[in-house]
């Protein structure tokens, strides 16, 4: 048992340490893994910020260059238009016909011819003079201008011409690309090109009819943007290639549709990033873990809103968490020897701790063989309980040892006290048994009344304790009548039994001396009251019955009224409900009244104590007089002895498991029809 307990405690300590270490290792591994993933997210956020800043800077530089180029072209168009306008005004002053539109006709023809001969170069400026009336009438100019044309700001050309300020205005248009023919003309190539157009009115009218239009192509700016974007992507590719990534990791720049523009690393971009791209567009950055051929991949996506592009960073989770696995292995290498040392130390401590328990077990077996009834039991216990025990220790084992040492002496004293109490109880039970036999010897046998012409009687007594206070008696008086006595002394036990014995003796003396029941009750009351220091009392029913005439002379001193049942008719039981006086033995100088009644043939009289009607079941319900009357009516033909047996069986049935609370005493006698004297049946003093 000790070895089993030692093993259990050792296993408990080892398991506790192992669980604690395992929990610490697991939490450490989990925290380190989460920290590594968090660091990757922070690094990616930094990368995203740097890339977005670099791309925005490159874009701003490109836009600044583009703005400078546009401003320079605007200056060129203004300068060229101003020179043409000055030339036209000079020609107008020296021409014939005076100023006005008719004087400009020859110049218009010359300018039209000049515009046709312009070369289709990128830096060349193409010019023509528009007649707004022809243009609004549906005419298309040599350079492709028409009234339905709109600029990049969606402004109609006709509205632009009508609202043209005096210093002119600029517009960006998409016009057909013109090429020269062998005949010296210009035709459309079927493609369009962006041009910067400058409209300058030639007369002072508003709207002006003659407008000078100067154009310069913007193709080079578009090509410049393409070259700038290509250079930007190349720079990004070089930077991504120089980045230190996890094996199997990838960093890539994606367009708005998720297509890869540039990338770095030896990994592959996993599928299923559409939801992550949508989240990145809303929140700026998204994180998702997707399966791949190399295991689960951590995918981080960031949105570069200015371009509609995404920066994607992928890395295998195993590679990211590799430091946590390495740390876990190192901790295991350190923790296992520590756990082993702790287990050995715990086992050593348990062995030392449980050693006194083994000694206590051996002494307990020896204590079981000690005869505590022997006079020298205490002397034998002292060395047995104190030798070898760690009584000087101040811990729990020391307290247990001292308690065990005290146990033996207290156990011996308690056993001796118990033996004395048992012996005293046995003596008391013997005395009570003797008292019961003496009490029952005072009373006649329950079936001791002889059967004779006109009379048959039987009694029943079942005390609630060993001895009780109920009594009954029947005997023959000097004049041949039958004396019938039933009483119930207050209280229970030995005092009630002694008071009952004295009452029986006084009643026998009084009735035997020739007194009637009332006078006898008065005499008994006077003698009991004079010698009653305990203030006890008795309910008493005394009767003298004449078997020949059936006359019953009786006195009732506070007792339960008897019932009389006729076996020859169906009449209900009648009650002798007249009281001669109060309880007997309480009040001095009491005179009790005598009453008489007559029993007809086959009538039975039942005298009983309150233990019959006050029998109680488990529902705290009393048996009551009504049930007793109904039961007597149902068994009206039963002889006295059988009737008493049936009534007691009915009380036992009604009471159930509830214990008997009071003495039960009954006396029944009947007036018979025949003159034959029956032999008495075997008797028993009590029936239960």
């Amino acid at each position: 048992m000790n070895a089993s307990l030692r093993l259990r405690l050792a296993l408990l300590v080892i398991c506790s340490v192992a669980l604690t270490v395992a929990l610490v290792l697991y939490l450490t591994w989990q925290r380190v893994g989460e920290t590594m993933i968090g660091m990757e997210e922070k690094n990616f956020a930094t990368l995203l910020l740097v890339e977005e800043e670099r791309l925005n800077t490159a874009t701003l530089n490109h836009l600044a260059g583009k703005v400078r180029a546009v401003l320079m072209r605007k200056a060129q168009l203004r300068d060229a238009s101003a020179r043409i306008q000055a030339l036209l005004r000079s020609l107008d002053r020296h021409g014939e016909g005076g100023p006005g539109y008719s004087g400009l006709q020859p110049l218009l023809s010359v300018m039209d011819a000049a515009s046709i001969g312009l070369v289709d170069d990128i830096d060349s400026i193409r010019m023509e003079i528009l007649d707004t009336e022809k243009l609004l009438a549906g005419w298309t100019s040599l350079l492709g201008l028409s009234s339905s044309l709109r600029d990049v700001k969606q402004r109609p050309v006709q509205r632009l011409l009508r609202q043209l300020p005096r210093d002119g205005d600029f517009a960006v248009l998409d016009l057909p690309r013109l090429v020269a023919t062998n005949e010296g003309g210009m035709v459309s190539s079927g493609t369009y090109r962006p041009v910067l157009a400058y409209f300058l009115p030639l007369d002072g009218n508003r709207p002006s009819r003659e407008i000078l239009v100067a154009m310069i192509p913007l193709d080079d700016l578009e090509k410049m943007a393409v070259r700038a974007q290509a250079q930007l992507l190349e720079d990004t590719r070089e930077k991504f290639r120089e980045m230190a990534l996890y094996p199997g990791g990838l960093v890539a720049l994606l367009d708005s549709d998720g297509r890869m523009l540039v990338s770095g690393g030896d990994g592959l971009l996993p599928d299923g990033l559409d939801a992550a791209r949508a989240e990145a567009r809303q929140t700026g950055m998204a994180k998702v873990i997707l399966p791949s051929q190399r295991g689960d991949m951590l995918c981080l996506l960031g949105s570069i809103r200015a371009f509609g592009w995404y920066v994607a960073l992928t890395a295998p989770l195993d590679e990211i968490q590799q430091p946590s696995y390495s740390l876990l292995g190192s901790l295991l290498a350190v923790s296992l020897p520590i756990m082993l040392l702790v287990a050995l130390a715990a086992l050593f401590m348990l062995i030392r701790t449980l050693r006194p328990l083994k000694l206590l077990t051996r002494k307990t077996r020896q204590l079981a063989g000690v005869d505590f009834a022997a006079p020298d039991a205490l002397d034998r216990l002292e060395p047995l309980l104190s030798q070898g025990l760690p009584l000087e220790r101040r811990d729990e084992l020391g307290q247990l040892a001292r308690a065990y040492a005290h146990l033996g002496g207290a156990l011996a004293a308690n056993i001796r006290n118990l033996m004395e109490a048992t012996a005293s109880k046995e003596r008391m039970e013997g005395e009570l048994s003797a008292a019961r036999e003496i009490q029952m010897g005072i009373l006649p046998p329950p079936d001791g009344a002889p059967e004779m012409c006109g009379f048959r009687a039987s009694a029943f007594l079942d005390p609630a304790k060993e001895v009780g206070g109920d009594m009954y008696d029947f005997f023959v008086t000097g004049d041949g009548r039958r004396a019938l006595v039933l009483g119930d002394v207050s209280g229970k036990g030995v005092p009630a039994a002694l008071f009952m014995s004295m009452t029986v003796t006084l009643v026998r003396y009084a009735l035997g001396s020739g007194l009637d029941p009332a006078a006898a009750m008065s005499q008994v009351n006077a003698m009991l009251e004079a010698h009653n220091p305990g203030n006890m009392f008795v309910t008493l029913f005394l009767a003298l019955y004449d078997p020949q005439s059936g006359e019953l002379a009786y006195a009732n001193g506070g007792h339960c009224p008897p019932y009389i049942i006729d076996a020859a008719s169906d009449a209900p039981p009648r009650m002798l409900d007249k009281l001669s006086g109060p309880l007997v033995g309480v009040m001095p100088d009491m005179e009790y009244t005598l009453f008489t009644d007559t029993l007809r043939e086959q009538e039975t009289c039942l005298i009983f104590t309150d233990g019959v009607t006050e029998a109680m079941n488990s529902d705290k319900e009393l048996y009551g007089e009504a049930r007793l009357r109904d039961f007597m009516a149902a068994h009206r033909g039963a002889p006295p002895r059988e009737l008493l047996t049936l009534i007691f069986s009915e009380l036992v049935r009604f009471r159930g498991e509830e214990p008997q609370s009071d003495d039960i005493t009954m006396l029944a006698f009947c007036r018979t029809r025949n003159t034959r004297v029956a032999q008495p049946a075997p008797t028993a003093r009590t029936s239960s």
Side-chain angles (χ1 to χ4, degrees), residues 239-314:
K239 185 174 181 179
F240 284 176
R241 288 176 179 175
E242 294 174 358
M243 291 178 60
L245 301 176
Y246 288 103
L250 177 71
V251 60
L253 185 64
L254 310 179
D255 62 8
S256 58
D257 296 328
R259 293 187 295 269
M260 190 182 302
L261 300 176
V262 294
S263 64
D266 58 352
L268 297 176
L269 193 65
D271 298 329
L273 292 177
D274 295 340
R277 290 205 317 273
E279 181 180 355
R281 279 196 303 269
Q282 296 178 357
T283 62
M285 191 173 73
K287 178 181 75 172
V288 65
I289 297 177
L290 297 175
S292 67
Q293 297 179 354
R294 303 194 61 170
D296 291 341
M297 301 288 290
L298 174 64
C299 302
L300 300 174
L301 269 79
S303 174
I304 300 178
R305 301 179 186 273
F307 293 84
W309 293 348
Y310 302 93
V311 176
L313 177 66
T314 64

Side-chain angles (χ1 to χ4, degrees), residues 352-360 363 385-405:
R352 291 195 59 187
T353 302
L354 297 178
R355 187 177 300 164
L357 295 180
K358 186 176 182 180
L359 180 60
L360 287 176
K363 288 183 175 292
L385 297 177
S386 59
Q387 291 180 357
L389 292 179
L391 301 176
E392 70 285 353
R393 295 182 60 165
R394 296 300 177 185
D395 56 2
E396 288 78 3
L397 287 176
Q399 296 176 5
L400 177 62
R402 288 188 292 273
Y404 184 83

Side-chain angles (χ1 to χ4, degrees), residues 496-508:
L498 294 176
F499 198 81
M500 180 272 289
S501 300
M502 183 170 58
T503 303
V504 169
T505 302
L506 292 175
V507 169
R508 285 179 179 175

Side-chain angles (χ1 to χ4, degrees), residues 39-59:
M39 291 177 61
E40 285 299 313
E41 294 180 6
K42 291 182 180 179
N43 294 337
F44 178 73
T46 303
L47 171 64
L48 179 63
L49 183 61
V50 171
E51 285 300 310
E52 187 172 11
E53 183 67 23
R54 186 176 66 84
L55 293 176
N56 288 337
T57 301
T59 302

Side-chain angles (χ1 to χ4, degrees), residues 69-83:
V70 171
L71 292 177
M72 183 179 67
R73 282 167 171 74
K74 284 185 176 182
Q76 292 176 357
L77 292 178
R78 284 181 184 275
D79 183 62
S81 298
R83 284 183 288 166

Side-chain angles (χ1 to χ4, degrees), residues 350-603:
L350 287 174
I351 293 174
R352 291 195 59 187
T353 302
L354 297 178
R355 187 177 300 164
L357 295 180
K358 186 176 182 180
L359 180 60
L360 287 176
T361 303
R362 186 174 67 252
K363 288 183 175 292
T364 302
R365 293 194 183 99
Q366 295 175 358
L367 182 63
V370 176
D371 183 10
F372 290 95
D376 60 342
L378 294 178
D379 298 334
R380 294 175 57 192
L381 281 175
E382 183 176 359
L384 173 62
L385 297 177
S386 59
Q387 291 180 357
L389 292 179
L391 301 176
E392 70 285 353
R393 295 182 60 165
R394 296 300 177 185
D395 56 2
E396 288 78 3
L397 287 176
Q399 296 176 5
L400 177 62
R402 288 188 292 273
Y404 184 83
H406 177 70
L407 172 66
L411 184 61
N414 292 337
I415 290 178
R416 288 182 180 178
N417 293 336
L418 180 61
M419 293 173 62
E420 294 175 359
T422 302
S424 176
K425 183 179 179 180
E426 291 177 351
R427 287 194 302 271
M428 184 177 295
E429 290 177 352
E431 293 173 357
L432 289 176
S433 178
R436 179 184 179 87
E437 293 178 359
I438 294 173
Q439 180 187 18
M440 300 308 296
I442 294 175
L443 304 178
D447 295 325
E451 296 185 8
M452 58 179 297
C453 178
F455 180 76
R456 180 186 298 172
S458 181
F460 181 89
L461 174 61
D462 186 27
K465 296 184 178 180
E466 288 79 1
V467 292
D470 284 7
M471 64 179 181
Y472 70 91
D473 198 4
F474 39 68
F475 56 90
V476 180
T477 61
D479 58 2
R481 290 185 295 179
R482 297 296 183 265
L484 302 168
V485 181
L486 195 74
D488 185 1
V489 178
S490 62
K492 298 177 181 64
V494 175
L498 294 176
F499 198 81
M500 180 272 289
S501 300
M502 183 170 58
T503 303
V504 169
T505 302
L506 292 175
V507 169
R508 285 179 179 175
Y509 175 77
L511 292 177
S513 62
L515 298 177
D516 60 64
M521 188 172 291
S522 299
Q523 179 177 326
V524 171
N525 176 73
M527 298 185 69
L528 289 178
E529 191 277 332
H531 303 85
N532 188 10
N535 294 323
M536 300 183 71
F537 60 87
V538 59
T539 64
L540 196 60
F541 185 87
L542 302 181
L544 291 176
Y545 172 69
D546 185 355
Q548 298 297 329
S549 63
E551 182 184 39
L552 179 68
Y554 68 91
N556 189 339
H559 197 74
C560 301
Y563 286 105
I564 297 176
I565 186 70
D566 188 2
S569 70
D570 295 333
R574 58 190 177 92
M575 179 188 295
L576 301 179
D577 55 355
K578 297 178 181 179
L579 287 177
S580 302
L583 304 171
V584 178
V586 178
M587 302 177 64
D589 302 328
M590 285 297 303
E591 295 295 333
Y592 291 84
T593 305
L594 179 67
F595 299 103
T596 59
D597 201 311
T598 301
L599 265 70
R600 294 186 294 270
E601 289 185 357
Q602 299 188 40
E603 281 191 334

Side-chain angles (χ1 to χ4, degrees), residues 79-93 200 202 212:
D79 183 62
S81 298
R83 284 183 288 166
I84 293 298
Q85 186 180 33
L87 177 61
L88 293 176
R89 288 176 179 175
S90 175
L91 292 176
D92 186 41
R93 285 194 302 266
L200 180 64
L202 294 179
L212 176 62

